[in-house]
Amino acid sequence: MLSRFKRCCICFAFVRMIVFYHVKLHAIVYFYHKIISVAITSIDIIGTGNLAFNLAPALEQAGFVVNRIYGRNAQAARELAGRLYQAAVQSSLDFSDSLSNLFILAIADDAIEEVSRELILPDKAVVAHTSGSKSLSVLGYTASPHIGVLYPLQTFSKVKKTGFRDVPILIEGDNKYTRKILTTVAGRLSRQVLAADSRQRRIIHLAAVLAANFTNALLHQADQVLQQAGSDLDILAPLMAETLQKSFALGPQQAQTGPAVRGDLQVLETHLEMLAGKPQLQETYRLLSQYILDEFYEEAGD
Amino acid sequence: MLSRFKRCCICFAFVRMIVFYHVKLHAIVYFYHKIISVAITSIDIIGTGNLAFNLAPALEQAGFVVNRIYGRNAQAARELAGRLYQAAVQSSLDFSDSLSNLFILAIADDAIEEVSRELILPDKAVVAHTSGSKSLSVLGYTASPHIGVLYPLQTFSKVKKTGFRDVPILIEGDNKYTRKILTTVAGRLSRQVLAADSRQRRIIHLAAVLAANFTNALLHQADQVLQQAGSDLDILAPLMAETLQKSFALGPQQAQTGPAVRGDLQVLETHLEMLAGKPQLQETYRLLSQYILDEFYEEAGD
């Protein structure tokens, strides 16, 4: 058996070893983060749409320098630059003398390919688009070896400032370095950064359009209908809040209510008659009610 | 000129008069409320669906006695009565010996007319249905001289307790007494009690179905789509919350985003191809995108 002293020595050596490696590991992580942080302090934005107007200020607030803004619409570029601390307006797609090392394309999906062909970037720059539906490969035309995607799953408008903190940001990159850079940038904007390849992102984007864009279109239709009763959209606010809350809490299958899920055909008929003067709205009603009948009716019973 | 004393006397008399009438007025209002409150301390509920399971406990919490529960489904009636302080299960539609003076029909729209034909009520009882789509006149078959509607504009499920505090409750009554009773009851449940005739209520109900029931159906469709990416509905929660918030803050016209409002036909085509295996979903996508193109595209431009 070992003496008490020897056991103490072994214990001490063991603890020292753990502390040593712990500190060393932390130092490595610290310097690694330092390098990454240094590598992406400066960003240029190409585009002046709804996303650019929300993303550029959010990047500044997250501690990055937004260096240059490029936009086909010079007026919009000046307006966006004016909202930032020190961003300059760039008038061409030649960024070869830019000090930035991340270039974010926040432009219409259809324009990405064309712009990326014309884009001239500094060596080793990372370039990323922000589209939900376009694959990573549309950036293959850029001269950059580092192409990626940073797609915030959110709806943005120029007239309304939208935070990024809870927004899922989907990241893709053609190499480890690019993924790391984009993950770090996204991680300073949001608590929810996820890896998604082009196929996954395209599917998630389609789901987002189905759910969010179409819900807004339905609210527009509802608003038109409400005017006939001398009422306005606000009357639906508590109902819509509860609908979402319930749908996410119970799942849409359990949360479905209304005449279709009850199989209340008399009401469905009356509603279709009420919409007789609005064929597009009537067709929407018919189609979605049929979907509810097909998907939920048998299971709900009641 | 009047002496100082006389002026004081006049002032005093004037103040006394105001105080007197003020007190008298308050007393009248107080006793009036007292009478109304006394008149509706006791309520019977006919129906054991989603609404009944939320309304009956809410009425109790608001200080009313829920006396009896009637339901075709005896098991459900027992379950609901079991959740209340002292409610008994009633096995027939003969309520002639009930001590209640308000009878609320919380049943399927199609059943209201039939049930109201069979219903036997005590003298002077008020009977109200809770349907958004049925007119007041379907209660014309009851023997009661006091018929009305109390329609809470909300989605209810048995498995989720839903508060009434912010729910708009639409009231209709065929006479002043009925309207008063229903307004008082609704006013104890909710802060938002509104008068609406049968036509207005039917329109508001249609708008509610378009907005809320169909949004839930869209979320179900989105959920199906997301499964293909190995993702689930939760990823859309921040987007949906922001969509609603924006739609109500800016109005749906200003809040519309997505490929259709940008006129991004390439993306629309890709999405339609992705939905090729799901014709019903594809048709929903086509129809709502066309609606957005027709209603918003020219105006939004960009």
Side-chain angles (χ1 to χ4, degrees):
Chain A
M1 242 178 84
L2 294 169
S3 72
R4 194 188 173 119
F5 175 72
K6 275 189 182 160
R7 272 184 287 156
C8 270
C9 280
I10 292 169
C11 262
F12 177 72
F14 190 64
V15 166
R16 216 185 53 169
M17 195 184 73
I18 289 174
V19 168
F20 176 76
Y21 280 106
H22 187 76
V23 167
K24 201 166 166 182
L25 191 73
H26 267 249
I28 292 167
V29 169
Y30 175 78
F31 283 109
Y32 183 70
H33 271 198
K34 197 83 185 163
I35 290 159
I36 293 285
S37 299
V38 167
I40 44 152
T41 44
S42 184
I43 300 169
D44 288 0
I45 307 270
I46 293 110
T48 55
N50 293 336
L51 175 57
F53 265 76
N54 283 275
L55 183 60
L59 287 168
E60 278 197 344
Q61 278 185 350
F64 301 105
V65 173
V66 177
N67 226 0
R68 298 183 185 184
I69 302 289
Y70 169 86
R72 273 180 313 177
N73 180 340
Q75 162 90 43
R78 277 195 299 275
E79 196 191 325
L80 176 52
R83 293 189 190 188
L84 303 169
Y85 294 125
Q86 59 181 71
V89 172
Q90 159 100 4
S91 59
S92 83
L93 285 168
D94 180 357
F95 286 85
S96 51
D97 64 341
S98 171
L99 295 173
S100 292
N101 28 28
L102 175 60
F103 296 79
I104 298 179
L105 297 173
I107 57 180
D109 290 3
D110 289 355
I112 297 172
E113 207 175 301
E114 193 192 321
V115 167
S116 69
R117 277 179 203 271
E118 295 177 28
L119 206 55
I120 303 171
L121 298 177
D123 286 351
K124 293 178 188 168
V126 172
V127 58
H129 75 62
T130 49
S131 159
S133 63
K134 289 290 167 181
S135 71
L136 174 60
S137 61
V138 293
L139 291 180
Y141 302 104
T142 56
S144 172
H146 306 300
I147 58 173
V149 182
L150 184 151
Y151 168 55
L153 184 55
Q154 186 54 288
T155 169
F156 297 99
S157 295
K158 283 187 186 174
V159 289
K160 184 175 183 299
K161 194 180 158 190
T162 301
F164 281 80
R165 200 162 162 67
D166 294 309
V167 174
I169 300 184
L170 307 185
I171 295 296
E172 188 176 6
D174 70 338
N175 57 49
K176 210 171 168 181
Y177 173 74
T178 304
R179 282 193 291 276
K180 203 82 203 170
I181 294 281
L182 293 176
T183 305
T184 306
V185 172
R188 286 228 230 137
L189 292 171
S190 166
R191 289 183 294 196
Q192 215 187 144
V193 180
L194 306 161
D197 64 26
S198 290
R199 184 188 147 273
Q200 287 173 312
R201 191 178 63 256
R202 201 170 58 230
I203 293 168
I204 291 167
H205 176 246
L206 169 58
V209 169
L210 278 170
N213 293 160
F214 290 176
T215 287
N216 187 73
L218 288 175
L219 284 170
H220 187 261
Q221 297 186 341
D223 197 19
Q224 307 290 304
V225 168
L226 283 167
Q227 284 172 17
Q228 295 170 37
S231 186
D232 68 27
L233 199 59
D234 283 343
I235 202 173
L236 297 183
L239 171 65
M240 292 306 290
E242 176 71 10
T243 297
L244 279 206
Q245 220 250 307
K246 200 160 75 170
S247 197
F248 283 100
L250 307 179
Q253 184 88 38
Q254 288 298 312
Q256 190 66 56
T257 58
V261 76
R262 289 195 301 270
D264 199 338
L265 302 180
Q266 262 186 35
V267 172
L268 297 183
E269 276 307 314
T270 309
H271 282 171
L272 286 171
E273 280 165 32
M274 286 166 75
L275 295 171
K278 305 183 170 184
Q280 215 171 8
L281 240 165
Q282 197 188 37
E283 198 47 36
T284 307
Y285 190 96
R286 194 191 308 276
L287 196 60
L288 284 165
S289 293
Q290 192 60 51
Y291 180 81
I292 297 171
L293 280 166
D294 293 350
E295 290 287 322
F296 304 99
Y297 181 46
E298 276 202 331
E299 287 161 68
D302 188 45
Chain B
M1 242 176 85
L2 294 169
S3 72
R4 193 180 175 127
F5 175 73
K6 274 188 181 161
R7 270 185 288 156
C8 271
C9 279
I10 291 168
C11 263
F12 176 73
F14 191 64
V15 167
R16 214 185 55 168
M17 194 183 74
I18 288 173
V19 169
F20 176 76
Y21 280 107
H22 187 75
V23 168
K24 200 165 166 183
L25 191 71
H26 267 247
I28 291 166
V29 169
Y30 175 78
F31 283 110
Y32 182 70
H33 271 198
K34 198 82 185 163
I35 290 159
I36 293 286
S37 300
V38 167
I40 44 152
T41 43
S42 183
I43 300 169
D44 287 1
I45 306 271
I46 293 110
T48 56
N50 293 336
L51 175 58
F53 266 76
N54 282 276
L55 182 61
L59 286 168
E60 278 197 344
Q61 277 184 351
F64 301 105
V65 173
V66 177
N67 225 0
R68 298 183 185 184
I69 302 289
Y70 169 86
R72 274 180 313 176
N73 180 339
Q75 161 90 43
R78 276 194 300 275
E79 196 191 326
L80 177 52
R83 294 189 190 188
L84 303 169
Y85 294 125
Q86 59 180 72
V89 172
Q90 159 99 6
S91 57
S92 82
L93 284 167
D94 180 358
F95 286 85
S96 52
D97 64 341
S98 170
L99 293 174
S100 292
N101 27 29
L102 174 60
F103 295 79
I104 299 180
L105 297 174
I107 56 179
D109 289 3
D110 289 354
I112 297 172
E113 205 174 304
E114 192 191 322
V115 167
S116 69
R117 277 179 203 271
E118 295 178 28
L119 205 55
I120 303 171
L121 299 175
D123 286 351
K124 292 179 188 166
V126 172
V127 58
H129 74 62
T130 49
S131 159
S133 62
K134 290 289 168 181
S135 70
L136 173 62
S137 62
V138 292
L139 292 180
Y141 302 103
T142 57
S144 171
H146 306 300
I147 59 173
V149 181
L150 184 150
Y151 169 55
L153 184 54
Q154 186 54 289
T155 169
F156 297 98
S157 295
K158 282 185 186 175
V159 289
K160 183 176 185 297
K161 195 181 159 190
T162 301
F164 281 80
R165 200 162 163 67
D166 294 309
V167 174
I169 300 183
L170 309 184
I171 295 297
E172 188 177 6
D174 71 336
N175 57 49
K176 209 171 170 180
Y177 173 74
T178 304
R179 281 191 293 275
K180 203 82 203 170
I181 294 280
L182 293 176
T183 304
T184 306
V185 172
R188 287 228 230 139
L189 293 171
S190 166
R191 289 183 293 195
Q192 214 187 144
V193 180
L194 306 161
D197 63 27
S198 290
R199 183 188 148 272
Q200 287 173 314
R201 191 178 63 255
R202 200 169 60 229
I203 293 169
I204 291 167
H205 176 247
L206 168 58
V209 170
L210 278 170
N213 293 159
F214 290 175
T215 288
N216 187 72
L218 288 174
L219 284 170
H220 187 262
Q221 298 186 341
D223 198 18
Q224 307 291 303
V225 168
L226 284 168
Q227 285 172 17
Q228 295 171 36
S231 185
D232 69 25
L233 199 60
D234 283 344
I235 202 174
L236 297 184
L239 170 65
M240 292 306 291
E242 177 70 11
T243 297
L244 279 205
Q245 220 249 308
K246 200 159 75 169
S247 197
F248 282 101
L250 308 179
Q253 185 87 38
Q254 288 298 312
Q256 190 67 55
T257 58
V261 77
R262 289 195 301 270
D264 199 338
L265 302 180
Q266 262 185 35
V267 172
L268 297 183
E269 276 308 314
T270 310
H271 282 171
L272 286 170
E273 280 165 30
M274 288 166 74
L275 294 171
K278 304 183 171 187
Q280 215 171 9
L281 239 164
Q282 197 187 38
E283 197 47 36
T284 306
Y285 189 96
R286 195 189 308 276
L287 196 62
L288 282 166
S289 293
Q290 191 59 52
Y291 181 80
I292 296 171
L293 280 166
D294 293 350
E295 289 286 323
F296 304 99
Y297 180 46
E298 279 203 327
E299 287 161 67
D302 192 35

